[in-house]
Amino acid sequence: MADRYLILEDGSAYLGEGFGSPAVSTGEIVFNTSMTGYQEIITNQIYHNQIIAFTQPTIGSYGINHDSYESILPTVKGVVVRDVASISTNRQRRWSLDQYLKQQNIPGISHIDTRHLAKQLRASGPMKASIVDVADAHAFDQLGATVLTNQQVAAVATPKPFPNPDTGLNVIVIDFGLKHGILRELSKRSCNVTVLPYTATTEEIINLDPDGVVLSTGPGKPQDLPDSVLTMIQNIQNRIPLFAIGLGHELFAMANGAQIMKLSPEHHGANHPIREVITNQIIYASQGQGYAVNPDTIDRNKLITTFVDLIDGTIQGLRYRDFPAFSVQFFPDGAPGPTETRDIFDEFVESMQQARGPVW
């Protein structure tokens, strides 16, 4: 393995060893504290145009398998680890992490002090970074001159509708950067799913006669999406049961008058303690968020808070008072992370069944 450098826009540089693709890449660097689930994290489209630094010391120990993809084509810009495992005894393994990153043209860098890097990012927040061969003035100039796109949803969301068929309730999923875990959970409940682009209009959704609508997870800043998305949510939420996740949760809040604020540090990891307000029960969930709903801007005549993060108090769930519309900031499907939040999908199914009424 050849020496490579991780350079940051604040001028710092980390010497390490390259693995995966030898490509030079630039993206926004964030750290993730999950102890497992690196394949799900790398293939999660919320990390579009980002370099992921894993704080778990060894990554790659169980390889890559067919069951843990959250998207077909990952769009991360790089992977940063302390140590990368080259040997795995996992019977499901198809490739090593090194082989997989080579296939996907994603560079990796190991032998980085990820604990020091995480502390640095916790203090500064995400910043631009590059994985390069030489940490010279030219490399830093190139990093500083790079402008990262703010059209992340358009880059990863489906441009055309596609089905995930079954024989149960008819569910429309609006794709802002869909995690496959959402489709898996809906399939377990026999939902007949049609995935639509984020540009779908109210009329296009209604014409498919849905029993419910899901607003998916996705990357980037919610304010960068067109106002037509908020209009669609406003038109749908009082007519059809609605369930919003991640970026969808933020858009649901915006559609009802709330404002979104930037988080520093961001939340990326599993086992985040979250309190369910109505029961006072503590649950643990997987998170990946750079933005949060500003609690001071919530219209309490419309929305009630259902979940709160116990670490920093950020809003993790909302519910409309008058209609069967609700949202969560975390990943209720897990993938990776705890699975105790999957019953939220059951709640969504129950809301659709109640709205549908008895079937004779």
Side-chain angles (χ1 to χ4, degrees):
M1 294 185 181
D3 286 350
R4 301 204 79 187
Y5 289 88
L6 171 71
I7 61 173
L8 278 59
E9 65 176 318
D10 66 357
S12 57
Y14 293 81
L15 172 63
E17 289 187 0
F19 69 99
S21 169
V24 172
S25 70
T26 299
E28 182 184 58
I29 187 166
V30 297
F31 68 92
N32 191 299
T33 59
S34 297
M35 298 183 69
T36 60
Y38 55 82
Q39 181 178 344
E40 293 95 327
I41 294 164
I42 291 170
T43 57
N44 189 339
Q45 295 290 7
I46 70 163
Y47 293 109
H48 174 69
N49 263 7
Q50 291 186 320
I51 297 172
I52 306 171
F54 289 95
T55 59
Q56 169 68 5
T58 300
I59 297 294
S61 57
Y62 51 87
I64 301 292
N65 67 79
H66 288 315
D67 298 332
S68 300
Y69 291 109
E70 289 302 298
S71 66
I72 297 172
L73 297 175
T75 56
V76 298
K77 288 296 187 177
V79 174
V80 180
V81 302
R82 178 66 183 89
D83 291 303
V84 59
S86 58
I87 298 175
S88 170
T89 57
N90 181 11
R91 62 180 177 82
Q92 292 183 305
R93 172 194 168 184
R94 304 295 296 181
W95 303 281
S96 69
L97 178 59
D98 178 54
Q99 290 170 327
Y100 178 70
L101 294 184
K102 281 186 170 72
Q103 289 175 3
Q104 301 299 328
N105 196 35
I106 298 171
I109 185 168
S110 63
H111 291 188
I112 300 296
D113 186 348
T114 51
R115 181 180 180 184
H116 181 275
L117 176 60
K119 291 174 69 175
Q120 181 178 356
L121 294 175
R122 187 179 293 277
S124 66
M127 65 179 84
K128 287 190 296 182
S130 294
I131 297 175
V132 296
D133 296 321
V134 180
D136 58 8
H138 176 70
F140 279 101
D141 288 343
Q142 290 288 98
L143 173 60
T146 300
V147 178
L148 300 177
T149 179
N150 65 353
Q151 300 300 307
Q152 291 146 295
V153 171
V156 300
T158 182
K160 294 182 179 180
F162 67 89
N164 191 42
D166 213 302
T167 58
L169 292 163
N170 190 30
V171 176
I172 301 299
V173 175
I174 306 300
D175 182 7
F176 298 103
L178 177 64
K179 281 175 95 263
H180 286 181
I182 297 172
L183 298 182
R184 284 192 290 268
E185 291 303 316
L186 292 172
S187 293
K188 289 176 184 176
R189 292 154 180 83
S190 301
C191 293
N192 179 47
V193 175
T194 302
V195 180
L196 296 184
Y198 74 98
T199 54
T201 64
T202 304
E203 182 180 10
E204 290 170 339
I205 295 170
I206 296 297
N207 285 345
L208 292 173
D209 190 27
D211 294 304
V213 174
V214 174
L215 307 179
S216 85
T217 54
K221 185 178 180 181
Q223 292 93 331
D224 289 333
L225 289 167
D227 290 340
S228 58
V229 173
L230 303 183
T231 301
M232 177 272 292
I233 296 171
Q234 291 163 351
N235 292 335
I236 290 294
Q237 65 185 4
N238 59 357
R239 302 171 68 175
I240 304 167
L242 181 99
F243 178 26
I245 305 169
L247 177 62
H249 156 83
E250 296 158 12
L251 293 167
F252 172 65
M254 288 176 60
N256 288 287
Q259 297 177 9
I260 305 300
M261 59 185 183
K262 178 69 174 172
L263 280 182
S264 184
E266 297 189 357
H267 295 186
H268 296 281
N271 295 324
H272 276 254
I274 294 169
R275 181 173 66 89
E276 185 176 20
V277 175
I278 192 170
T279 64
N280 216 32
Q281 179 183 359
I282 306 303
I283 63 172
Y284 292 87
S286 180
Q287 291 185 343
Q289 65 177 113
Y291 298 88
V293 178
N294 185 338
D296 297 331
T297 64
I298 295 175
D299 184 349
R300 301 296 176 179
N301 293 319
K302 289 183 178 181
L303 302 176
I304 60 174
T305 300
T306 54
F307 293 95
V308 177
D309 190 291
L310 287 181
I311 295 176
D312 61 5
T314 53
I315 302 295
Q316 293 293 312
L318 293 168
R319 178 180 293 275
Y320 207 106
R321 287 185 179 273
D322 301 324
F323 308 114
F326 64 98
S327 65
V328 292
Q329 178 75 72
F330 52 86
F331 301 144
D333 56 296
T339 61
E340 62 190 81
T341 57
R342 290 181 181 175
D343 60 356
I344 295 175
F345 286 94
D346 296 326
E347 184 179 346
F348 177 54
V349 169
E350 289 173 5
S351 70
M352 289 189 288
Q353 290 170 337
Q354 290 174 1
R356 190 180 191 183
V359 178
W360 303 101

